[in-house]
Amino acid sequence: MKRILLSALFVMAMLCRLQAQKVETHVTVHAGINALETLLTEEQKQSVTHLTVTGTLLDEDYAFLRGGLLEQLDTLDLRDAEIDTIPAGALGAMELYLVLPKMIECIRDYAFKGVCEVTGKAPFLGEYKNNPYYKPLMQASKGHPNLMNIEGDSYSAVYSQNGDTLYYLKPGEHLLNWGGDMEIRPGTQVIAPTAMRNEPFPVGMINLVLPESMEFIGNYALDITLLLPTSYISKNRYPHGGEYGCGSVICKAANPPKLDIFGNDFWVAWSYLYVPESCLEAYKAAPGWEHAIKIDTIENLLKKGQNIQSIHGEGENTSISITSMNENYILDFSKAPLQMDLLSTDGGLLSSQMISSAKVTLPKKSLQKPLTIVCVRFADGTNETVKLIP
């Protein structure tokens, strides 16, 4: 009986020990002199989910992390580490929440995937050209003394606390899917280096609007990943200024903002540029801006929008308002739409699309001659049909 009792006590002690080991999920180590792998016990290697590192990381430490530990880590906290550069490919493609060092300066090419919390300065970001979704999402830490997060329908961004500098911008899903005006906040004077570097943008669907206050655009800040349009275009404040597949950039600054280094996918070089009439010639001569496909005035762009006429006549009772532009039809819905079908004159289905926006744009080149029948189904169960000529 005594042996049984001792055996039971031994088993209970072992279980308690194992349970204590399993709950050690938060571990802090000081690395740099000794390899990170030697600083963790075997039990910690099996249980840690939140690893805090002070000191620095060696090349072999990054290899150790990539070798399997990252698969179980939720957070790697380097806030107080003495690291100013995260090497290229350092942490691989594993999703991760990374708390950046306060002294960080640069994140090299393809360094890691996931979310990074900026505790110090916003870092210079390397290339993520082959897969833009591999690029980390940057967010300023809560209560950051110099940075703030901005969330909107068009994009999420990291700004300086006084709002004069844009450090990072990621386009929102609505903008990517439906297009529109991406207006940089009024009062912004500087777009910092790599702010939008290699972010995916369907430039043919978006008006990039730069405010009057803009003075400087840093290295590779507008060197984006170009996407082909995948849906109908919906513009808001400004008409679309380019052609199919071309972007449009509206810069309201009276003096051409100074441009630093820009790459092959410089947004302006793939776009029509619209500027104040009084400084048109200055933009045509300004370094970098002259690479635009076409340079015209904002005044002419707005006239283009004002001069277009609605297809429907006065007083016609309809839930669809149609406006004809040079290359597109803009359909505005006065009640919630669900689906839009395009039909040929003999009733054949050409395309079908679920819609949730109150406005869509149909490129005229997508319509079938001699005319295309557009049938819209609304959330209230009603349907309306209009005929459009290419």
Side-chain angles (χ1 to χ4, degrees):
M1 182 69 179
K2 186 175 181 180
R3 287 184 177 178
I4 295 174
L5 180 59
L6 289 172
S7 297
L9 291 173
F10 176 77
V11 170
M12 290 178 64
M14 291 299 294
L15 289 173
C16 290
R17 182 181 176 187
L18 289 172
Q19 186 175 8
Q21 292 170 353
K22 289 180 181 179
V23 297
E24 193 176 7
T25 58
H26 287 57
V27 177
T28 299
V29 295
H30 185 80
I33 299 175
N34 298 314
L36 178 61
E37 185 174 9
T38 67
L39 301 176
L40 299 172
T41 67
E42 291 304 316
E43 290 81 6
Q44 289 172 336
K45 292 174 187 177
Q46 300 300 318
S47 62
V48 62
T49 59
H50 188 121
L51 178 61
T52 299
V53 177
T54 59
T56 189
L57 289 173
L58 308 172
D59 289 343
E60 61 193 270
D61 296 335
Y62 289 113
F64 166 65
L65 289 167
R66 293 194 306 270
L69 192 62
L70 288 179
E71 295 183 14
Q72 71 185 50
L73 282 184
D74 295 327
T75 301
L76 177 59
D77 190 339
L78 303 178
R79 183 189 312 265
D80 295 317
E82 298 172 8
I83 299 172
D84 60 12
T85 300
I86 298 179
L91 301 174
M94 187 61 59
E95 288 281 356
L96 181 70
Y97 189 90
L98 178 66
V99 182
L100 291 173
K102 292 178 182 176
M103 61 181 297
I104 193 70
E105 296 285 344
C106 179
I107 297 175
R108 296 292 186 192
D109 301 355
Y110 308 101
F112 73 96
K113 181 179 181 180
V115 178
C116 61
E117 180 182 328
V118 184
T119 62
K121 295 192 300 184
F124 183 94
L125 287 170
E127 287 193 338
Y128 288 81
K129 268 192 176 297
N130 294 333
N131 188 345
Y133 302 104
Y134 187 82
K135 183 178 176 181
L137 170 66
M138 291 179 59
Q139 296 179 336
S141 59
K142 186 176 181 181
H144 196 295
N146 301 314
L147 303 177
M148 64 177 175
N149 297 311
I150 300 294
E151 297 290 336
D153 293 335
S154 297
Y155 56 79
S156 60
V158 176
Y159 264 89
S160 59
Q161 282 285 357
N162 64 5
D164 68 356
T165 303
L166 168 63
Y167 287 102
Y168 171 83
L169 181 147
K170 186 175 186 65
E173 290 299 318
H174 186 275
L175 189 74
L176 292 176
N177 293 329
W178 294 99
D181 297 333
M182 192 182 83
E183 295 200 48
I184 304 304
R185 286 161 56 95
T188 304
Q189 297 176 11
V190 175
I191 299 180
T194 72
M196 299 178 219
R197 189 179 196 183
N198 302 133
E199 289 293 347
F201 283 99
V203 295
M205 298 168 57
I206 297 172
N207 287 325
L208 171 62
V209 184
L210 303 175
E212 297 177 10
S213 53
M214 186 62 60
E215 297 178 359
F216 176 78
I217 298 175
N219 292 340
Y220 306 108
L222 298 180
D223 191 31
I224 62 173
T225 293
L226 296 164
L227 297 181
L228 293 176
T230 57
S231 63
Y232 299 127
I233 306 166
S234 175
K235 298 299 177 184
N236 298 321
R237 183 175 174 188
Y238 294 95
H240 183 244
E243 297 176 348
Y244 184 78
C246 294
S248 41
V249 175
I250 294 112
C251 186
K252 299 191 286 185
N255 297 311
K258 184 181 182 299
L259 293 169
D260 262 2
I261 300 171
F262 50 88
N264 293 330
D265 292 328
F266 179 45
W267 194 329
V268 174
W270 293 88
S271 303
Y272 287 16
L273 173 64
Y274 295 89
V275 300
E277 187 172 15
S278 60
C279 50
L280 178 62
E281 296 306 316
Y283 274 89
K284 289 182 178 180
W289 297 103
E290 85 279 8
H291 289 284
I293 297 172
K294 171 185 174 183
I295 304 180
D296 201 347
T297 68
I298 295 174
E299 290 80 358
N300 284 339
L301 178 62
L302 293 175
K303 288 177 184 177
K304 176 181 176 182
Q306 293 168 353
N307 290 335
I308 55 182
Q309 299 296 320
S310 172
I311 295 297
H312 289 297
E314 291 291 332
E316 186 169 349
N317 185 19
T318 178
S319 299
I320 307 174
S321 174
I322 305 174
T323 303
S324 177
M325 300 180 69
N326 291 340
E327 299 172 358
N328 308 302
Y329 285 111
I330 299 176
L331 280 65
D332 286 279
F333 307 116
S334 61
K335 55 186 179 181
L338 287 180
Q339 181 175 329
M340 181 170 63
D341 296 334
L342 301 187
L343 308 170
S344 62
T345 53
D346 59 4
L349 181 64
L350 301 175
S351 67
S352 181
Q353 177 186 1
M354 301 302 294
I355 52 176
S356 58
S357 175
K359 180 188 294 186
V360 298
T361 299
L362 279 172
K364 292 182 178 179
K365 63 168 58 178
S366 70
L367 303 177
Q368 189 178 88
K369 295 181 179 180
L371 59 84
T372 297
I373 300 170
V374 180
C375 181
V376 179
R377 179 162 60 91
F378 294 96
D380 62 4
T382 61
N383 298 286
E384 287 193 29
T385 300
V386 294
K387 299 176 181 179
L388 297 179
I389 300 172

